[in-house]
Short mmCIF file of all heavy atoms in Angstrom, two decimals:
data_model
loop_
_atom_site.label_atom_id
_atom_site.label_comp_id
_atom_site.label_asym_id
_atom_site.label_seq_id
_atom_site.Cartn_x
_atom_site.Cartn_y
_atom_site.Cartn_z
N GLY F 68 29.44 10.91 -71.71
CA GLY F 68 28.42 10.05 -71.09
C GLY F 68 26.98 10.52 -71.19
O GLY F 68 26.09 9.93 -70.59
N VAL F 69 26.72 11.56 -71.98
CA VAL F 69 25.34 12.05 -72.11
C VAL F 69 24.53 11.07 -72.97
O VAL F 69 25.01 10.53 -73.96
CB VAL F 69 25.34 13.46 -72.76
CG1 VAL F 69 23.93 13.88 -73.16
CG2 VAL F 69 25.95 14.47 -71.79
N LYS F 70 23.27 10.85 -72.54
CA LYS F 70 22.40 9.92 -73.27
C LYS F 70 21.22 10.65 -73.92
O LYS F 70 20.63 10.17 -74.87
CB LYS F 70 21.83 8.87 -72.30
CG LYS F 70 22.86 8.06 -71.54
CD LYS F 70 23.36 6.91 -72.41
CE LYS F 70 24.26 5.97 -71.65
NZ LYS F 70 25.58 6.52 -71.39
N LEU F 71 20.87 11.79 -73.34
CA LEU F 71 19.64 12.46 -73.80
C LEU F 71 19.88 13.96 -73.99
O LEU F 71 20.50 14.62 -73.14
CB LEU F 71 18.53 12.28 -72.74
CG LEU F 71 17.26 13.10 -72.96
CD1 LEU F 71 16.47 12.58 -74.16
CD2 LEU F 71 16.38 13.09 -71.71
N ILE F 72 19.35 14.48 -75.09
CA ILE F 72 19.30 15.94 -75.28
C ILE F 72 17.82 16.32 -75.15
O ILE F 72 16.99 15.90 -75.97
CB ILE F 72 19.84 16.36 -76.66
CG1 ILE F 72 21.31 15.96 -76.80
CG2 ILE F 72 19.65 17.86 -76.88
CD1 ILE F 72 21.91 16.24 -78.17
N ALA F 73 17.50 17.04 -74.10
CA ALA F 73 16.11 17.46 -73.87
C ALA F 73 15.97 18.92 -74.29
O ALA F 73 16.52 19.81 -73.64
CB ALA F 73 15.75 17.29 -72.40
N LEU F 74 15.28 19.13 -75.39
CA LEU F 74 15.08 20.50 -75.89
C LEU F 74 13.93 21.14 -75.13
O LEU F 74 12.87 20.54 -75.00
CB LEU F 74 14.73 20.46 -77.38
CG LEU F 74 15.85 20.04 -78.33
CD1 LEU F 74 15.25 19.55 -79.65
CD2 LEU F 74 16.77 21.20 -78.58
N ARG F 75 14.15 22.37 -74.66
CA ARG F 75 13.01 23.05 -74.03
C ARG F 75 12.41 24.05 -75.04
O ARG F 75 12.14 25.20 -74.73
CB ARG F 75 13.38 23.69 -72.69
CG ARG F 75 14.60 24.53 -72.64
CD ARG F 75 14.83 25.02 -71.20
NE ARG F 75 15.72 26.14 -71.11
CZ ARG F 75 17.04 26.08 -71.13
NH1 ARG F 75 17.63 24.90 -71.24
NH2 ARG F 75 17.77 27.17 -71.04
N CYS F 76 12.22 23.57 -76.25
CA CYS F 76 11.62 24.36 -77.33
C CYS F 76 11.03 23.40 -78.35
O CYS F 76 11.20 22.18 -78.24
CB CYS F 76 12.66 25.25 -77.99
SG CYS F 76 14.11 24.39 -78.59
N ALA F 77 10.34 23.97 -79.36
CA ALA F 77 9.68 23.14 -80.38
C ALA F 77 10.63 22.82 -81.53
O ALA F 77 10.80 21.67 -81.92
CB ALA F 77 8.44 23.86 -80.90
N GLY F 78 11.29 23.87 -82.07
CA GLY F 78 12.17 23.68 -83.22
C GLY F 78 13.42 22.91 -82.83
O GLY F 78 13.93 23.03 -81.70
N PHE F 79 13.93 22.07 -83.75
CA PHE F 79 15.15 21.30 -83.46
C PHE F 79 16.18 21.45 -84.58
O PHE F 79 17.01 20.60 -84.80
CB PHE F 79 14.81 19.83 -83.19
CG PHE F 79 13.93 19.18 -84.21
CD1 PHE F 79 14.47 18.55 -85.31
CD2 PHE F 79 12.55 19.22 -84.06
CE1 PHE F 79 13.65 17.97 -86.26
CE2 PHE F 79 11.72 18.63 -85.01
CZ PHE F 79 12.27 18.01 -86.12
N ASN F 80 16.09 22.60 -85.29
CA ASN F 80 17.00 22.86 -86.41
C ASN F 80 18.46 23.03 -85.94
O ASN F 80 19.38 22.96 -86.74
CB ASN F 80 16.56 24.09 -87.20
CG ASN F 80 16.29 25.28 -86.31
OD1 ASN F 80 15.29 25.33 -85.61
ND2 ASN F 80 17.22 26.22 -86.30
N ASN F 81 18.66 23.25 -84.63
CA ASN F 81 20.02 23.42 -84.10
C ASN F 81 20.66 22.09 -83.67
O ASN F 81 21.75 22.08 -83.11
CB ASN F 81 20.03 24.41 -82.92
CG ASN F 81 19.05 24.05 -81.83
OD1 ASN F 81 18.08 23.33 -82.07
ND2 ASN F 81 19.28 24.54 -80.62
N VAL F 82 19.97 20.98 -83.91
CA VAL F 82 20.51 19.67 -83.52
C VAL F 82 20.83 18.85 -84.77
O VAL F 82 19.96 18.70 -85.65
CB VAL F 82 19.49 18.88 -82.65
CG1 VAL F 82 20.07 17.54 -82.21
CG2 VAL F 82 19.07 19.70 -81.43
N ASP F 83 22.04 18.32 -84.85
CA ASP F 83 22.43 17.49 -85.99
C ASP F 83 21.95 16.06 -85.71
O ASP F 83 22.57 15.32 -84.94
CB ASP F 83 23.96 17.55 -86.16
CG ASP F 83 24.42 16.78 -87.40
OD1 ASP F 83 23.78 15.77 -87.74
OD2 ASP F 83 25.40 17.21 -88.01
N LEU F 84 20.84 15.70 -86.34
CA LEU F 84 20.22 14.40 -86.03
C LEU F 84 21.05 13.22 -86.56
O LEU F 84 20.99 12.12 -86.00
CB LEU F 84 18.79 14.35 -86.57
CG LEU F 84 17.79 15.29 -85.86
CD1 LEU F 84 16.41 15.16 -86.46
CD2 LEU F 84 17.74 15.04 -84.36
N GLN F 85 21.82 13.44 -87.62
CA GLN F 85 22.68 12.36 -88.12
C GLN F 85 23.74 12.02 -87.08
O GLN F 85 24.02 10.84 -86.83
CB GLN F 85 23.36 12.79 -89.41
CG GLN F 85 22.46 12.56 -90.62
CD GLN F 85 23.16 12.93 -91.92
OE1 GLN F 85 24.16 13.64 -91.92
NE2 GLN F 85 22.60 12.44 -93.01
N ALA F 86 24.28 13.07 -86.46
CA ALA F 86 25.30 12.85 -85.42
C ALA F 86 24.66 12.18 -84.20
O ALA F 86 25.26 11.32 -83.56
CB ALA F 86 25.94 14.18 -85.03
N VAL F 87 23.42 12.58 -83.91
CA VAL F 87 22.69 11.98 -82.78
C VAL F 87 22.55 10.47 -83.00
O VAL F 87 22.80 9.66 -82.10
CB VAL F 87 21.29 12.65 -82.65
CG1 VAL F 87 20.37 11.83 -81.77
CG2 VAL F 87 21.43 14.06 -82.09
N GLU F 88 22.18 10.10 -84.23
CA GLU F 88 22.01 8.69 -84.58
C GLU F 88 23.35 7.95 -84.47
O GLU F 88 23.43 6.88 -83.88
CB GLU F 88 21.44 8.60 -86.00
CG GLU F 88 21.07 7.19 -86.40
CD GLU F 88 20.42 7.13 -87.77
OE1 GLU F 88 20.21 8.19 -88.40
OE2 GLU F 88 20.15 6.00 -88.21
N LYS F 89 24.37 8.58 -85.03
CA LYS F 89 25.71 7.96 -85.03
C LYS F 89 26.18 7.65 -83.61
O LYS F 89 26.78 6.61 -83.35
CB LYS F 89 26.68 8.92 -85.72
CG LYS F 89 28.08 8.39 -85.87
CD LYS F 89 28.94 9.33 -86.69
CE LYS F 89 30.41 8.99 -86.49
NZ LYS F 89 31.28 10.10 -86.82
N HIS F 90 25.87 8.56 -82.69
CA HIS F 90 26.39 8.39 -81.33
C HIS F 90 25.36 7.80 -80.36
O HIS F 90 25.55 7.81 -79.15
CB HIS F 90 26.90 9.74 -80.80
CG HIS F 90 28.12 10.21 -81.54
ND1 HIS F 90 29.36 9.70 -81.31
CD2 HIS F 90 28.25 11.12 -82.53
CE1 HIS F 90 30.23 10.28 -82.13
NE2 HIS F 90 29.58 11.15 -82.88
N HIS F 91 24.26 7.29 -80.92
CA HIS F 91 23.23 6.59 -80.13
C HIS F 91 22.66 7.43 -78.99
O HIS F 91 22.46 6.94 -77.89
CB HIS F 91 23.77 5.26 -79.57
CG HIS F 91 24.36 4.40 -80.63
ND1 HIS F 91 23.62 3.90 -81.68
CD2 HIS F 91 25.63 3.97 -80.83
CE1 HIS F 91 24.40 3.21 -82.47
NE2 HIS F 91 25.63 3.24 -81.99
N LEU F 92 22.42 8.72 -79.28
CA LEU F 92 21.77 9.56 -78.28
C LEU F 92 20.26 9.61 -78.55
O LEU F 92 19.80 9.12 -79.59
CB LEU F 92 22.34 11.00 -78.34
CG LEU F 92 23.46 11.32 -77.34
CD1 LEU F 92 24.67 10.46 -77.61
CD2 LEU F 92 23.86 12.79 -77.47
N CYS F 93 19.52 10.18 -77.65
CA CYS F 93 18.09 10.43 -77.89
C CYS F 93 17.85 11.94 -77.77
O CYS F 93 18.58 12.63 -77.04
CB CYS F 93 17.23 9.71 -76.86
SG CYS F 93 17.35 7.92 -77.02
N VAL F 94 16.85 12.39 -78.49
CA VAL F 94 16.50 13.82 -78.44
C VAL F 94 14.99 13.92 -78.28
O VAL F 94 14.24 13.26 -79.01
CB VAL F 94 16.88 14.55 -79.77
CG1 VAL F 94 16.52 16.03 -79.70
CG2 VAL F 94 18.34 14.37 -80.10
N ASN F 95 14.54 14.70 -77.32
CA ASN F 95 13.12 14.99 -77.28
C ASN F 95 12.88 16.49 -77.18
O ASN F 95 13.82 17.25 -76.93
CB ASN F 95 12.38 14.17 -76.21
CG ASN F 95 12.99 14.33 -74.84
OD1 ASN F 95 13.41 15.41 -74.48
ND2 ASN F 95 13.01 13.25 -74.08
N ARG F 96 11.66 16.90 -77.43
CA ARG F 96 11.36 18.34 -77.52
C ARG F 96 9.97 18.62 -76.98
O ARG F 96 9.28 17.70 -76.53
CB ARG F 96 11.43 18.78 -78.98
CG ARG F 96 10.34 18.12 -79.84
CD ARG F 96 10.20 18.75 -81.19
NE ARG F 96 9.10 18.12 -81.93
CZ ARG F 96 8.28 18.74 -82.73
NH1 ARG F 96 8.40 20.03 -82.92
NH2 ARG F 96 7.31 18.11 -83.35
N ILE F 97 9.55 19.87 -77.06
CA ILE F 97 8.20 20.25 -76.63
C ILE F 97 7.42 20.57 -77.91
O ILE F 97 7.58 21.69 -78.44
CB ILE F 97 8.22 21.54 -75.77
CG1 ILE F 97 9.45 21.63 -74.90
CG2 ILE F 97 6.93 21.72 -75.00
CD1 ILE F 97 9.42 20.89 -73.64
N PRO F 98 6.63 19.67 -78.42
CA PRO F 98 5.96 19.95 -79.70
C PRO F 98 5.09 21.20 -79.63
O PRO F 98 5.04 21.99 -80.56
CB PRO F 98 5.13 18.70 -79.98
CG PRO F 98 5.52 17.70 -78.97
CD PRO F 98 6.23 18.37 -77.86
N ALA F 99 4.39 21.37 -78.51
CA ALA F 99 3.53 22.57 -78.39
C ALA F 99 3.48 22.96 -76.93
O ALA F 99 3.21 22.12 -76.07
CB ALA F 99 2.12 22.25 -78.87
N TYR F 100 3.78 24.23 -76.65
CA TYR F 100 3.66 24.65 -75.24
C TYR F 100 2.64 25.74 -75.09
O TYR F 100 2.01 25.88 -74.07
CB TYR F 100 5.01 25.05 -74.65
CG TYR F 100 5.93 25.80 -75.57
CD1 TYR F 100 5.84 27.17 -75.70
CD2 TYR F 100 6.90 25.12 -76.29
CE1 TYR F 100 6.70 27.85 -76.54
CE2 TYR F 100 7.76 25.80 -77.14
CZ TYR F 100 7.65 27.17 -77.25
OH TYR F 100 8.49 27.86 -78.09
N SER F 101 2.52 26.58 -76.06
CA SER F 101 1.41 27.51 -76.14
C SER F 101 1.46 28.13 -77.52
O SER F 101 2.09 29.17 -77.70
CB SER F 101 1.47 28.61 -75.08
OG SER F 101 0.50 29.60 -75.43
N PRO F 102 0.83 27.48 -78.49
CA PRO F 102 0.83 28.07 -79.84
C PRO F 102 0.14 29.43 -79.84
O PRO F 102 0.43 30.27 -80.67
CB PRO F 102 0.07 27.05 -80.68
CG PRO F 102 -0.66 26.17 -79.73
CD PRO F 102 0.09 26.21 -78.44
N TYR F 103 -0.72 29.65 -78.83
CA TYR F 103 -1.43 30.94 -78.73
C TYR F 103 -0.42 32.06 -78.50
O TYR F 103 -0.56 33.16 -79.03
CB TYR F 103 -2.46 30.92 -77.60
CG TYR F 103 -3.52 29.88 -77.84
CD1 TYR F 103 -3.45 28.63 -77.24
CD2 TYR F 103 -4.57 30.12 -78.73
CE1 TYR F 103 -4.39 27.65 -77.51
CE2 TYR F 103 -5.52 29.15 -79.00
CZ TYR F 103 -5.42 27.92 -78.38
OH TYR F 103 -6.34 26.95 -78.65
N SER F 104 0.61 31.77 -77.66
CA SER F 104 1.59 32.82 -77.34
C SER F 104 2.21 33.37 -78.62
O SER F 104 2.28 34.59 -78.80
CB SER F 104 2.67 32.28 -76.40
OG SER F 104 3.42 31.26 -77.03
N VAL F 105 2.62 32.49 -79.52
CA VAL F 105 3.33 32.94 -80.73
C VAL F 105 2.35 33.52 -81.76
O VAL F 105 2.63 34.55 -82.38
CB VAL F 105 4.16 31.78 -81.35
CG1 VAL F 105 4.97 32.28 -82.54
CG2 VAL F 105 5.08 31.15 -80.32
N ALA F 106 1.19 32.89 -81.90
CA ALA F 106 0.20 33.39 -82.87
C ALA F 106 -0.27 34.79 -82.46
O ALA F 106 -0.31 35.72 -83.29
CB ALA F 106 -0.98 32.42 -82.95
N GLU F 107 -0.59 34.96 -81.18
CA GLU F 107 -1.07 36.26 -80.71
C GLU F 107 0.02 37.32 -80.86
O GLU F 107 -0.24 38.47 -81.22
CB GLU F 107 -1.52 36.17 -79.23
CG GLU F 107 -2.79 35.34 -79.06
CD GLU F 107 -3.11 35.08 -77.58
OE1 GLU F 107 -2.48 35.67 -76.70
OE2 GLU F 107 -4.01 34.24 -77.33
N TYR F 108 1.26 36.92 -80.59
CA TYR F 108 2.37 37.87 -80.69
C TYR F 108 2.59 38.31 -82.15
O TYR F 108 2.91 39.48 -82.41
CB TYR F 108 3.65 37.22 -80.15
CG TYR F 108 4.79 38.18 -79.99
CD1 TYR F 108 4.92 38.92 -78.83
CD2 TYR F 108 5.72 38.36 -81.00
CE1 TYR F 108 5.97 39.84 -78.67
CE2 TYR F 108 6.76 39.27 -80.86
CZ TYR F 108 6.88 40.00 -79.70
OH TYR F 108 7.92 40.89 -79.55
N SER F 109 2.40 37.37 -83.07
CA SER F 109 2.56 37.71 -84.50
C SER F 109 1.56 38.77 -84.91
O SER F 109 1.88 39.70 -85.66
CB SER F 109 2.36 36.46 -85.37
OG SER F 109 3.17 35.42 -84.89
N ILE F 110 0.34 38.66 -84.40
CA ILE F 110 -0.69 39.66 -84.71
C ILE F 110 -0.30 40.99 -84.06
O ILE F 110 -0.47 42.06 -84.65
CB ILE F 110 -2.08 39.21 -84.19
CG1 ILE F 110 -2.46 37.81 -84.74
CG2 ILE F 110 -3.16 40.24 -84.52
CD1 ILE F 110 -2.74 37.72 -86.21
N ALA F 111 0.26 40.91 -82.86
CA ALA F 111 0.69 42.13 -82.16
C ALA F 111 1.77 42.85 -82.98
O ALA F 111 1.74 44.07 -83.13
CB ALA F 111 1.21 41.79 -80.76
N LEU F 112 2.73 42.09 -83.50
CA LEU F 112 3.79 42.69 -84.33
C LEU F 112 3.18 43.36 -85.56
O LEU F 112 3.53 44.49 -85.90
CB LEU F 112 4.76 41.61 -84.82
CG LEU F 112 6.00 41.27 -84.02
CD1 LEU F 112 6.88 40.29 -84.79
CD2 LEU F 112 6.83 42.51 -83.68
N LEU F 113 2.25 42.64 -86.20
CA LEU F 113 1.61 43.17 -87.40
C LEU F 113 0.86 44.47 -87.10
O LEU F 113 1.02 45.47 -87.81
CB LEU F 113 0.65 42.10 -87.98
CG LEU F 113 -0.34 42.56 -89.04
CD1 LEU F 113 0.38 43.11 -90.27
CD2 LEU F 113 -1.26 41.40 -89.46
N MET F 114 0.07 44.46 -86.04
CA MET F 114 -0.74 45.64 -85.74
C MET F 114 0.11 46.80 -85.23
O MET F 114 -0.19 47.96 -85.51
CB MET F 114 -1.85 45.28 -84.74
CG MET F 114 -2.95 44.42 -85.33
SD MET F 114 -3.58 45.05 -86.92
CE MET F 114 -4.42 46.54 -86.39
N THR F 115 1.17 46.50 -84.49
CA THR F 115 2.06 47.57 -84.01
C THR F 115 2.69 48.27 -85.21
O THR F 115 2.72 49.50 -85.29
CB THR F 115 3.16 46.99 -83.10
OG1 THR F 115 2.53 46.27 -82.05
CG2 THR F 115 4.03 48.08 -82.52
N LEU F 116 3.19 47.46 -86.15
CA LEU F 116 3.82 48.04 -87.34
C LEU F 116 2.83 48.81 -88.20
O LEU F 116 3.09 49.93 -88.62
CB LEU F 116 4.37 46.90 -88.21
CG LEU F 116 5.81 46.51 -88.04
CD1 LEU F 116 6.09 45.27 -88.87
CD2 LEU F 116 6.76 47.64 -88.48
N ASN F 117 1.69 48.19 -88.43
CA ASN F 117 0.68 48.80 -89.30
C ASN F 117 0.20 50.13 -88.74
O ASN F 117 0.15 51.13 -89.45
CB ASN F 117 -0.49 47.80 -89.47
CG ASN F 117 -1.69 48.43 -90.13
OD1 ASN F 117 -1.58 49.43 -90.85
ND2 ASN F 117 -2.87 47.88 -89.87
N ARG F 118 -0.10 50.18 -87.42
CA ARG F 118 -0.65 51.40 -86.84
C ARG F 118 0.42 52.27 -86.20
O ARG F 118 0.11 53.27 -85.56
CB ARG F 118 -1.76 51.03 -85.82
CG ARG F 118 -2.89 50.18 -86.42
CD ARG F 118 -3.52 50.81 -87.66
NE ARG F 118 -4.06 52.12 -87.38
CZ ARG F 118 -5.32 52.34 -86.96
NH1 ARG F 118 -6.15 51.32 -86.87
NH2 ARG F 118 -5.73 53.54 -86.68
N LYS F 119 1.69 51.87 -86.39
CA LYS F 119 2.87 52.66 -85.96
C LYS F 119 2.85 52.95 -84.46
O LYS F 119 3.23 54.03 -84.00
CB LYS F 119 2.94 53.99 -86.73
CG LYS F 119 2.51 53.92 -88.19
CD LYS F 119 3.66 53.56 -89.10
CE LYS F 119 3.40 53.77 -90.57
NZ LYS F 119 2.35 52.99 -91.19
N ILE F 120 2.40 52.01 -83.69
CA ILE F 120 2.28 52.21 -82.24
C ILE F 120 3.67 52.39 -81.60
O ILE F 120 3.83 53.19 -80.67
CB ILE F 120 1.50 51.03 -81.60
CG1 ILE F 120 0.05 51.07 -82.13
CG2 ILE F 120 1.50 51.12 -80.07
CD1 ILE F 120 -0.78 49.86 -81.81
N HIS F 121 4.68 51.69 -82.15
CA HIS F 121 6.05 51.83 -81.61
C HIS F 121 6.56 53.26 -81.79
O HIS F 121 7.29 53.78 -80.95
CB HIS F 121 6.99 50.83 -82.28
CG HIS F 121 7.03 50.88 -83.79
ND1 HIS F 121 5.90 50.84 -84.57
CD2 HIS F 121 8.06 50.95 -84.65
CE1 HIS F 121 6.24 50.89 -85.84
NE2 HIS F 121 7.55 50.96 -85.92
N ARG F 122 6.15 53.91 -82.87
CA ARG F 122 6.60 55.28 -83.11
C ARG F 122 5.76 56.26 -82.28
O ARG F 122 6.28 57.22 -81.71
CB ARG F 122 6.52 55.60 -84.59
CG ARG F 122 7.34 54.60 -85.41
CD ARG F 122 7.44 54.98 -86.86
NE ARG F 122 8.22 56.20 -87.01
CZ ARG F 122 8.22 56.94 -88.11
NH1 ARG F 122 7.47 56.57 -89.14
NH2 ARG F 122 8.95 58.02 -88.18
N ALA F 123 4.45 55.99 -82.21
CA ALA F 123 3.56 56.87 -81.44
C ALA F 123 3.96 56.89 -79.97
O ALA F 123 3.95 57.94 -79.32
CB ALA F 123 2.11 56.40 -81.60
#
Side-chain angles (χ1 to χ4, degrees):
V69 169
K70 302 277 187 287
L71 171 70
I72 298 175
L74 290 159
R75 49 182 198 279
C76 55
F79 50 89
N80 50 286
N81 54 338
V82 182
D83 184 327
L84 292 180
Q85 276 183 342
V87 164
E88 187 176 357
K89 183 174 164 201
H90 293 282
H91 307 297
L92 264 63
C93 294
V94 181
N95 54 38
R96 65 167 183 143
I97 325 278
Y100 38 86
S101 168
Y103 298 98
S104 64
V105 184
E107 290 172 10
Y108 190 86
S109 309
I110 305 291
L112 268 187
L113 167 61
M114 289 311 291
T115 305
L116 265 173
N117 169 24
R118 303 306 301 271
K119 323 272 194 297
I120 294 169
H121 54 309
R122 303 188 67 196

